[in-house]
Amino acid sequence: MSETLTKLPALVPEPVELPGHLAQLRAEVREFLAAERAAGKWTPGADVWLSGWDAEFSKRLGARGWLGMTIPTEYGGQGRTALDRYVVTEELLAAGAPVAAHWVADRQIGPSLMRFGTEEQRRKFLPGIARGEIYFGIGMSEPDSGSDLASVRTRADRVDGGWEMTGTKVWTSGAHHAHAFFALVRTSPKDENNRHAGLSQFLVELDRPGITIRPIPLLTGAHHFNEVVFDHVFIPDEMVFGELSSGWAQVTGELAFERSGPERFLSTFPLLASLVGELGKASDVDAGTRREIGALVSRLWTLRRMSLAVAGALESGEAPELAAALVKDLGTRYENEIVDASRLLVDIPPDPGAEPGFARLLAEAVQHAPGFTLRGGTNEVLRGIVARGMGLR
Amino acid sequence: MSSELRELAESVFVDAYDRDAVGLDTDLWKTCEQTGLARMTLPESAGGSEGTLADAAALLEAAGAHAARVPLAETDLLGGWLAHAAGLDVPDGPLVAVAADLDVAADGTVSGTLPRVPWGRAVSTVVVLTGARVVVLSPSALTVHEGTNVAEEPRDTLVASGATPLAAGDAPDGAAEELALRAALGRSLLLAGAARGALARSIGYAGERVQFGRPIAKFQAVQQQLAEAGSEVAAAAAASAAAARTASDRGFADDATTFAIAAAKSRCGASATAVARIAHQVHGAIGFTREHDLRLTTTRLWAWRDEDGNDSYWNGVVGTRALNAGPDGLWPLVTGTP
Ligand SMILES: Cc1cc2nc3c(=O)[nH]c(=O)nc-3n(C[C@H](O)[C@H](O)[C@H](O)COP(=O)(O)OP(=O)(O)OC[C@H]3O[C@@H](n4cnc5c(N)ncnc54)[C@H](O)[C@@H]3O)c2cc1C
């Protein structure tokens, strides 16, 4: 018994309390969001970090110093902590604010450029990211490479002064608006004994000659995804990102940032808030319904504490890959639970054409639900990571 | 402090581990008293170690993981606290506190029933909150009807007929609410530990049990089940630790503490259900036997999820608050920042 117990790794980092000074920041963000809503600048949506593309809103956030918050001031950022950024981010998501335009750049590219980028790359991109003017995409998946990401076939060959890239990326969120993306490509032939070797990352500006971006409409018909085709696209040496052949380690290093954030359980929070509003219209809510809401809120509170614990660990330089995978697995399943509870507790059918409010939020959430447990690594793959972390594989 | 304490606690509980014994482990209890674990958060004047609630949290989690047969939460968080808060001397030995409606006669003697008192037969004294009074009773002055929970832990019904209290005092303000919250917090931490114990055992077993020529841990279906159990264990750990932290920072009278403990007990109860189910599934028939010690943690998960308010009860508390907060107040409620 004792031996098996000590072999089990810690599954979640120590709890984190947000430093007191962040209450002020939180209050400022809430005030800003309330004023924006009162002025009718946007209406709260579900899954806004995917669908709420609003460049002007991103710029307003940038002007307030709420983007690129962890980027050092010399690169145009705020030099604040990941927990400061956490507070701003969770407030934006909870309010259903349109954060999609800057999402990838702010969450992932900024920190990655600070870890792996050259001085030149940082100067080129970071100030624009912090102003909310430069948007990024992620070029990982391909038609034949989804969960098995190491099998990517997009290739770059050495040419004079750089590389020539050929291949196809798919499911690229926002590529039709983005200025650039990170591409994971094969820079030396596949070695069957080490599948992760020979992969590199490039920073690709999407207006380069030879790039074709085609929409892949979502099931709603909305344009979010794209196919990005490279036909002998020249990538200068300056745009190699990090170390050649270290692409795999870099990509997996980014995943801890990508997986544990509040967006992994708050996509449907505006729907939950709206559900509470709908239920509150009745003079008396029956005990069973009250308990169902209580169960959802208890889970939410717990997920937030777990996600904060991971953010705290990231801030102190750890890379809690196991905990991040676990939070995303639980969180994305939870987002679906909100959808089902909303359907079943209130007798209002989802209506994409309704006025802003419950029926429309429900429609958005129902239609986006499949994505929750796919994007950023499917839940089956995440559980594989958890199993490995617990010593099962 | 906390990690040393955790190690001390784990080693003490490992040494005491005995799969066949039931009832109070008197040797372990002595060790807990000698090492200061028994009265973790009580003041020195009450024989306590003056530790924090975070220390108590680490200790209780470990006790749950090792199925330790000692009333730690009952003595430190409940009985000791209530006696001390009522301005009474904290009695020696293992303690427990319960809330009940006793008849107090003019001469101070009490009558009434205390149903399913944890460790009732084994404690030195029972501290009873009755109305606005606190009375300290010795089980020897009561009739003891022995009973157990599904983990075979004593849950005895004690009957007082004209019993003379060892001491009596006025209850502090909000004692009933605080007693319930302390009990639920202690239970959540024990649940989180028992869930970890059941998971660790299941992972160990999956690595040893061979079917179809390989350890069952190599089958993806088994891995996926255990990963799900892992996320449930992590959720219980995070929820119970965060609730202890909130109680420690804000005190039990703060509304944020009520919310946190309610949410934690609910979450730990849900985790208990999932983890016990998966642990038994992974163990196959052997885990369903008396001979195998998986039952020591899973039966505790089954017992404890329903004690001190089951998931449903605490969900009602959280849900009521959420509905009162309304659509705009829900997020401030969750973040604890109005
Ligand atoms: C909304 C959304 C946005 C996205 N945005 C981007 C983006 O911007 N950039 C980008 O590069 N990609 C993006 N993706 C792609 C995403 O990363 C992939 O969808 C994901 O990695 C899964 O790959 P796949 O869709 O090819 O599914 P597959 O890998 O083909 O998986 C299909 C099913 O098989 C299961 N499966 C596969 N392998 C295993 C295994 N080993 N064990 C158990 N089960 C397995 C999966 O869990 C899944 O259920 C996005 C996806 C979505 C839904």
Side-chain angles (χ1 to χ4, degrees):
Chain A
M1 181 81 167
S2 58
E3 197 192 321
T4 50
L5 266 168
T6 48
K7 267 199 238 155
L8 185 66
L11 298 174
V12 64
E14 291 293 311
V16 163
E17 288 302 316
L18 291 170
H21 71 268
L22 293 183
Q24 170 74 20
L25 174 63
R26 187 187 298 283
E28 283 167 24
V29 178
R30 282 189 187 164
E31 202 179 309
F32 164 79
L33 291 170
E36 290 253 320
R37 274 174 70 177
K41 299 212 167 142
W42 40 268
T43 46
D47 203 16
V48 278
W49 60 280
L50 185 138
S51 56
W53 195 288
D54 182 341
E56 293 310 315
F57 180 72
S58 294
K59 287 177 197 156
R60 292 200 291 278
L61 290 180
R64 292 191 166 248
W66 293 340
L67 294 183
M69 291 180 76
T70 61
I71 295 172
T73 48
E74 56 183 305
Y75 300 108
Q78 303 294 325
R80 301 182 75 152
T81 71
L83 293 177
D84 294 43
R85 179 179 176 272
Y86 193 100
V87 166
V88 172
T89 313
E90 67 172 352
E91 289 296 328
L92 293 171
L93 292 166
V99 293
H102 64 261
W103 191 260
V104 168
D106 177 67
R107 174 184 73 188
Q108 226 161 324
I109 311 304
S112 282
L113 280 167
M114 287 312 302
R115 285 176 73 191
F116 306 119
T118 62
E119 185 62 19
E120 191 188 345
Q121 290 166 353
R122 291 177 185 175
R123 299 232 172 261
K124 184 176 169 78
F125 295 113
L126 290 176
I129 289 175
R131 282 195 306 271
E133 290 170 2
I134 294 187
Y135 314 129
F136 262 79
I138 302 171
M140 295 202 206
S141 306
E142 297 186 3
D144 294 323
S145 303
S147 300
D148 183 12
L149 191 57
S151 70
V152 290
R153 290 207 293 241
T154 296
R155 209 181 72 224
D157 299 316
R158 199 87 185 91
V159 292
D160 199 21
W163 297 79
E164 200 175 76
M165 203 168 133
T166 295
T168 302
K169 293 292 177 183
V170 286
W171 322 129
T172 319
S173 301
H176 53 306
H177 297 303
H179 301 89
F181 78 2
F182 273 63
L184 181 70
V185 301
R186 186 151 280 292
T187 43
S188 47
K190 200 162 169 181
D191 172 358
E192 278 312 328
N193 296 319
N194 185 359
R195 306 179 68 236
H196 299 153
L199 294 170
S200 303
Q201 278 188 298
F202 290 101
L203 287 167
V204 182
E205 292 166 278
L206 291 168
D207 57 0
R208 293 205 158 258
I211 299 182
T212 313
I213 299 175
R214 291 194 205 100
I216 311 176
L218 295 181
L219 57 76
T220 56
H223 183 184
H224 163 74
F225 279 151
N226 300 274
E227 176 191 64
V228 182
V229 181
F230 302 92
D231 182 10
H232 297 88
V233 176
F234 176 72
I235 312 288
D237 278 330
E238 305 87 81
M239 289 293 134
V240 172
F241 185 63
E243 298 280 316
L244 271 178
S245 285
S246 295
W248 185 258
Q250 290 171 202
V251 162
T252 43
E254 271 160 42
L255 289 176
F257 287 93
E258 198 195 319
R259 284 186 171 151
S260 59
E263 71 273 28
R264 300 304 182 179
F265 54 92
L266 289 178
S267 300
T268 52
F269 179 81
L271 174 62
L272 178 64
S274 181
L275 170 65
V276 163
E278 286 302 318
L279 292 170
K281 287 178 184 168
S283 57
D284 188 33
V285 182
D286 70 83
T289 301
R290 208 182 290 257
R291 289 198 287 261
E292 283 195 50
I293 293 295
L296 288 173
V297 173
S298 299
R299 296 181 99 82
L300 173 60
W301 175 83
T302 305
L303 279 161
R304 178 171 177 273
R305 303 306 300 230
M306 297 173 85
S307 167
L308 269 172
V310 177
L314 283 171
E315 175 69 19
S316 47
E318 295 160 49
E321 196 197 6
L322 167 62
L326 196 145
V327 171
K328 182 170 180 293
D329 179 29
L330 273 181
T332 53
R333 282 189 280 136
Y334 171 74
E335 292 177 325
N336 279 282
E337 285 176 37
I338 292 183
V339 179
D340 278 323
S342 302
R343 281 179 46 237
L344 299 174
L345 293 177
V346 176
D347 191 12
I348 301 175
D351 181 355
E355 291 293 305
F358 180 82
R360 192 159 110 188
L361 284 166
L362 180 58
E364 288 168 6
V366 165
Q367 290 174 316
H368 282 226
F372 303 160
T373 47
L374 293 172
R375 57 187 173 194
T378 70
N379 290 43
E380 290 72 24
V381 167
L382 295 172
R383 272 179 243 151
I385 293 169
V386 174
R388 183 182 302 118
M390 298 193 310
L392 288 162
R393 306 172 48 195
Chain B
M1 171 67 182
S2 248
S3 81
E4 278 167 39
L5 175 71
R6 201 180 288 265
E7 272 168 40
L8 169 66
E10 300 248 348
S11 78
V12 165
F13 297 143
V14 167
D15 288 347
Y17 187 73
D18 176 354
R19 77 166 83 180
D20 297 316
V22 291
L24 180 71
D25 183 339
T26 45
D27 290 341
L28 176 58
W29 182 256
K30 267 189 213 127
T31 311
C32 287
E33 289 197 324
Q34 282 156 8
T35 50
L37 296 179
R39 287 154 189 256
M40 201 66 212
T41 64
L42 289 177
E44 222 178 296
S45 60
S49 307
E50 304 207 336
T52 64
L53 269 177
D55 297 331
L59 173 66
L60 292 173
E61 198 274 352
H66 295 276
R69 291 175 290 110
V70 279
L72 288 168
E74 288 83 353
T75 301
D76 182 43
L77 293 187
L78 307 183
W81 164 75
L82 184 58
H84 185 68
L88 307 173
D89 287 340
V90 179
D92 290 337
L95 312 171
V96 67
V98 291
D101 242 339
L102 297 180
D103 292 326
V104 185
D107 65 356
T109 59
V110 297
S111 302
T113 300
L114 311 174
R116 296 185 69 73
V117 176
W119 305 94
R121 76 194 74 156
V123 294
S124 71
T125 47
V126 185
V127 186
V128 184
L129 174 69
T130 176
R133 296 285 287 169
V134 172
V135 295
V136 179
L137 298 169
S138 161
S140 61
L142 310 171
T143 313
V144 179
H145 300 282
E146 293 194 355
T148 65
N149 62 17
V150 292
E152 302 172 42
E153 292 182 306
R155 294 295 184 261
D156 303 326
T157 296
L158 309 181
V159 182
S161 19
T164 307
L166 301 171
D170 286 332
D173 283 348
E177 292 76 16
E178 178 158 349
L179 184 61
L181 289 175
R182 284 172 165 269
L185 175 61
R187 202 59 73 194
S188 300
L189 291 158
L190 288 164
L191 277 166
R196 177 166 69 94
L199 173 67
R201 189 145 266 314
S202 303
I203 290 171
Y205 182 74
E208 290 159 12
R209 172 68 173 168
V210 173
Q211 286 295 283
F212 301 98
R214 39 187 180 146
I216 58 168
K218 298 296 159 202
F219 296 110
Q220 199 185 42
V222 174
Q223 291 172 3
Q224 298 263 316
Q225 289 278 307
L226 288 172
E228 186 184 331
S231 59
E232 291 295 324
V233 170
S240 57
R245 183 79 194 250
T246 307
S248 168
D249 290 352
R250 305 210 190 195
F252 284 89
D254 192 309
D255 219 40
T257 301
T258 306
F259 177 80
I261 292 176
K265 181 64 168 69
S266 146
R267 190 63 186 87
C268 290
S271 291
T273 301
V275 172
R277 172 178 54 76
I278 292 168
H280 276 290
Q281 191 65 19
V282 167
H283 274 82
I286 191 75
F288 194 43
T289 64
R290 182 102 193 144
E291 163 199 344
H292 197 279
D293 50 10
L294 175 64
R295 68 184 167 83
L296 295 179
T297 44
T298 54
T299 57
R300 280 172 172 76
L301 291 171
W302 294 330
W304 294 344
R305 65 184 174 182
D306 291 337
E307 293 182 339
D308 303 308
N310 66 12
D311 335 356
S312 182
Y313 170 79
W314 290 110
N315 282 336
V317 172
V318 173
T320 299
R321 271 154 212 267
L323 288 160
N324 289 344
D328 296 328
L330 181 61
W331 180 245
L333 179 71
V334 170
T335 54
T337 49

